[in-house]
Amino acid sequence: MKKHRWIAALAVMIMTFAAFGCKSEIQYVDKTYCSAVTFASEATADGVKVTMATTTEGAVIYYTTDGTLPTEKSTKYSKAIEFTKDATVKAIAIKEGIENSPVSIATVSIKEKTIIADENAGETLKIALTAAVPQENGYTGNKSNTKVTVTANITTASKVKKVVWKKDGSLIAKTLLADENAADATKTEDNAVWTFDITAQDESANGGYTLAAIDEAGREEAEQITIDNFDFTPPGKVKVTSAVYSSELSSIIINWTEPVDADYHHVDITFTTNDGTGDSEPSQAITVNKGTLNKTFSGIDGEKAYYTYTFVTYDELGNKGAEYKHKVSVNTTVSNIPEGFVEVTGGTVTGKSNTNNYPGVFISGRTVTLSDFYMSQYEVTQDEYSSVMTGQKVTVSGTEYTLNANPSYCTEGNSSYVVNFGTEQGKRPVEGVTWYDAVYYCNAKSEKERLTAAYDITVTSVSSNGNITAATVKLVDGAEGYRLPTEAEWEYAARGGDPSAADWNYTFSGADTAAETSYSSSSNTGLDAVGWYCYNNDTGTTGLSDVTGNASGSGTHQVGQKAANALGIYDMSGNVWEWCYDWYNSSVSTGEETDPLGSSSGSYRVLRGGSWYNNARHASVCNRYDFTPSYRYGNLGFRLVRSAQ
């Protein structure tokens, strides 16, 4: 005879009282069942004689023959029973102090003169869990970004009474069944099959899910399944390798490379036109499936300045990748330069030694090639900053912050600074911005103008006054939006953008200062024409002493009041320091580089150009400086660039 022993978990609350108070503690102990009832048969002249037994000493057997489940109120078994017609017998063993046995089931066959036991009867409740994802739009994989359906196949000798589930739920069935936060599973037409759906917004929905079931005989079980089917990872971007406009055919042919993602599915392409005054509304999207790497666009209007094509990739699940934009010039007589910017034609600079001056980034042993870019003529003003940043909010660790739209110290309401002669408050450069504030502004302005943001930014800390003090920032390759200049771009533009021109070697941006004038000088009359600094900030003319300690010598000046450099860019020497994108490294790398981004990591970000608060040597085109990106002062500002795609 087969012996069965079933173990489950029973929660017992034990209250322990001590002299210093009481302590409540939950302990889990084994749950012991009576062994299942077994059947034996003996043929008689008129039918079948059936005997029942359990190996649990002292247990009493109760049985039914009418199809109902046996209880202690059912017929008590005491001796062999003779059956003269077919019947179904359900039996249970009961003993005080331990759990009832599972229900045993057997069928009496008069024809066969025997009793046939149900193999599943008398066994514990068993659960088998499987997971499936929607198979839609031809998708045949095992990933999902919408829902996962979990199916529970439950084997038991009795009818299933209740099934619940919960993420990271208890593996103790009784505990999970009593958990008020557990959700009910859905019964199918078959009482043995139950299901539940997991819906998700992100991959945090992956993990362990526990299901617990109990049948009408009181048998219970819990089982867990690990879900790793949710995938919200977007595909990479396509990258345009060539774009050719044909005026004869009125067409543009674009070729690109695909992302390497195995589940990449297709790219949607839209375009806008620009007549020199603004972009049109986007076109309807054109879908190009995986494997096709080019597209011909016909009917191109040759009177337009340019067409901007936006590529958005999708994977098999419909996850959307980041936008990639590519601009194709059509009518070159129409200016593509953003308003308030100048075009800086790129080139290759072979560095050289500097005997009496700071070397900057174009040092001996280094060759730098820069692509074309646009740079703002002026430093970002207080009015411009406020117009973009007003109403900007970020959420950090569940707390929403309103960002500071007026961070400047140099304002009419601050008695420590003055509004210098000829100055309009809103046209002074914005300052009091952290490096993180500056890159956030770049993205906010880009989004306002429907441009692809230049940075992926996740804000992680905001100060009490609404300035961003920490964030993860990644430059987006190929983005057309506003950004900070790299240090190489900044110095290239400050020197006038032409290494063969005389002003490339000027001490200050746009100021023809004698070469023998040392960059280490505190004061320099050569700076008066192009910049504000601590020896001329009150009158504009260099005096004998630092005037920033005087009431009339403290604060910024309205942008563009001094002379521009050869490119038509103002205030690149003096007024406010300008944040650059790069991490600062005291050693400039050598070798050949194209569009260098500086060090990959660091503690400080690059500042260039000097300020109203500093002396002349800081305002030189080759002076390199650095600062903690989370700090803000009344002489730290920035200007913008955009890539000339």
Side-chain angles (χ1 to χ4, degrees), residues 128-144:
L129 298 178
T130 57
V133 302
Q135 303 293 298
E136 301 171 345
N137 302 319
Y139 178 69
T140 59
N142 68 342
K143 297 294 183 181
S144 174

Side-chain angles (χ1 to χ4, degrees), residues 36 99 149 201 206 246 287 302 376 479 491 499 517 596 614 619:
E99 300 297 315
T149 299
Q201 300 297 321
N206 286 323
S246 170
T287 297
S376 57
E491 186 173 328
T517 301
N614 300 98

Side-chain angles (χ1 to χ4, degrees), residues 471-492:
T472 57
V473 180
K474 181 181 178 183
L475 187 65
V476 177
D477 182 43
E480 65 171 346
Y482 297 99
R483 58 182 176 84
L484 297 180
T486 65
E487 186 177 18
E489 287 173 331
W490 189 95
E491 186 173 328
Y492 185 84

Side-chain angles (χ1 to χ4, degrees), residues 5 28 97 116 192 194 255 306 336 431 469 495 564 604 611 630:
R5 184 173 184 268
Y28 295 100
I116 303 169
W194 298 66
N255 296 278
Y306 57 85
N336 297 335
E431 25 73 25
T469 52
R495 288 178 176 272
Y604 307 97
S611 80
S630 60

Side-chain angles (χ1 to χ4, degrees), residues 416-458:
S416 298
Y417 303 93
V418 296
V419 179
N420 291 287
F421 61 89
T423 292
E424 292 182 38
Q425 176 66 52
K427 292 183 179 180
R428 298 167 87 168
V430 69
E431 25 73 25
V433 290
T434 68
W435 182 89
Y436 300 109
D437 291 332
V439 294
Y440 187 95
Y441 172 88
C442 291
N443 271 13
K445 183 173 174 64
S446 297
E447 290 165 7
K448 186 176 182 180
E449 298 180 18
R450 298 192 304 181
L451 301 173
T452 304
Y455 304 106
D456 283 332
I457 303 174
T458 301

Side-chain angles (χ1 to χ4, degrees), residues 533-548:
Y533 76 116
C534 68
Y535 281 84
N536 74 0
N537 206 50
D538 54 350
T539 64
T541 302
T542 297
L544 297 177
S545 62
D546 179 350
V547 296
T548 56

Side-chain angles (χ1 to χ4, degrees), residues 338-342 375-392 404-408 424-431 433 437-438 440-446 448-449 482 557-560 570-571 575-576 578 637-641:
E339 184 179 357
F341 284 66
V342 299
M375 177 173 274
S376 57
Q377 288 183 280
Y378 307 103
E379 294 157 333
V380 175
T381 66
Q382 294 179 21
D383 279 351
E384 289 172 331
Y385 192 85
S386 178
S387 69
V388 170
M389 295 297 285
T390 296
Q392 291 288 331
N404 190 348
N406 299 285
S408 296
E424 292 182 38
Q425 176 66 52
K427 292 183 179 180
R428 298 167 87 168
V430 69
E431 25 73 25
V433 290
D437 291 332
Y440 187 95
Y441 172 88
C442 291
N443 271 13
K445 183 173 174 64
S446 297
K448 186 176 182 180
E449 298 180 18
Y482 297 99
H557 287 263
Q558 179 177 321
V559 299
Y570 296 83
D571 294 309
N575 214 3
V576 291
E578 298 178 13
F638 64 103
R639 74 173 67 235
L640 304 176
V641 298

Side-chain angles (χ1 to χ4, degrees), residues 65-260:
T65 58
D66 61 358
T68 61
L69 289 171
T71 68
E72 61 183 3
K73 295 182 179 181
S74 302
T75 303
K76 182 178 180 181
Y77 174 80
S78 59
K79 63 179 180 178
I81 310 162
E82 186 170 356
F83 290 87
T84 58
K85 60 181 181 180
D86 291 348
T88 298
V89 182
K90 296 183 179 181
I92 190 171
I94 299 176
K95 181 180 179 180
E96 185 177 356
I98 62 175
E99 300 297 315
N100 299 345
S101 75
V103 177
S104 296
I105 305 174
T107 302
V108 176
S109 173
I110 300 302
K111 181 180 178 180
E112 301 294 335
K113 297 283 187 174
T114 189
I115 187 167
I116 303 169
D118 185 332
E119 293 182 356
N120 291 323
E123 296 295 330
T124 54
L125 184 149
K126 297 176 182 176
I127 302 172
L129 298 178
T130 57
V133 302
Q135 303 293 298
E136 301 171 345
N137 302 319
Y139 178 69
T140 59
N142 68 342
K143 297 294 183 181
S144 174
N145 60 2
T146 54
K147 73 175 182 178
V148 172
T149 299
V150 177
T151 300
N153 287 281
I154 302 173
T155 303
T156 182
S158 183
K159 186 177 181 180
V160 178
K161 182 179 180 181
K162 182 179 182 181
V163 181
V164 300
W165 65 276
K166 184 181 180 183
K167 188 175 190 291
D168 299 322
S170 173
L171 271 168
I172 299 171
K174 184 177 293 293
T175 302
L176 184 55
L177 286 162
D179 189 337
E180 63 181 14
N181 293 318
D184 291 328
T186 301
K187 180 177 67 174
T188 66
E189 293 181 2
D190 183 355
N191 181 255
V193 180
W194 298 66
T195 66
F196 65 89
D197 289 335
I198 307 168
T199 57
Q201 300 297 321
D202 54 47
E203 291 181 17
S204 65
N206 286 323
Y209 288 80
T210 311
L211 179 139
I214 185 170
D215 66 14
E216 291 184 343
R219 283 169 292 200
E220 58 195 31
E221 187 58 81
E223 189 61 64
Q224 190 174 74
I225 186 170
T226 298
I227 300 298
D228 61 358
N229 306 80
F230 288 113
D231 179 8
F232 289 83
T233 304
K237 296 182 292 187
V238 302
K239 188 170 185 179
V240 171
T241 55
S242 65
V244 179
Y245 165 63
S246 170
S247 58
E248 182 179 353
L249 299 175
S250 298
S251 67
I252 292 175
I253 301 175
I254 302 180
N255 296 278
W256 62 83
T257 58
E258 293 178 337
V260 298

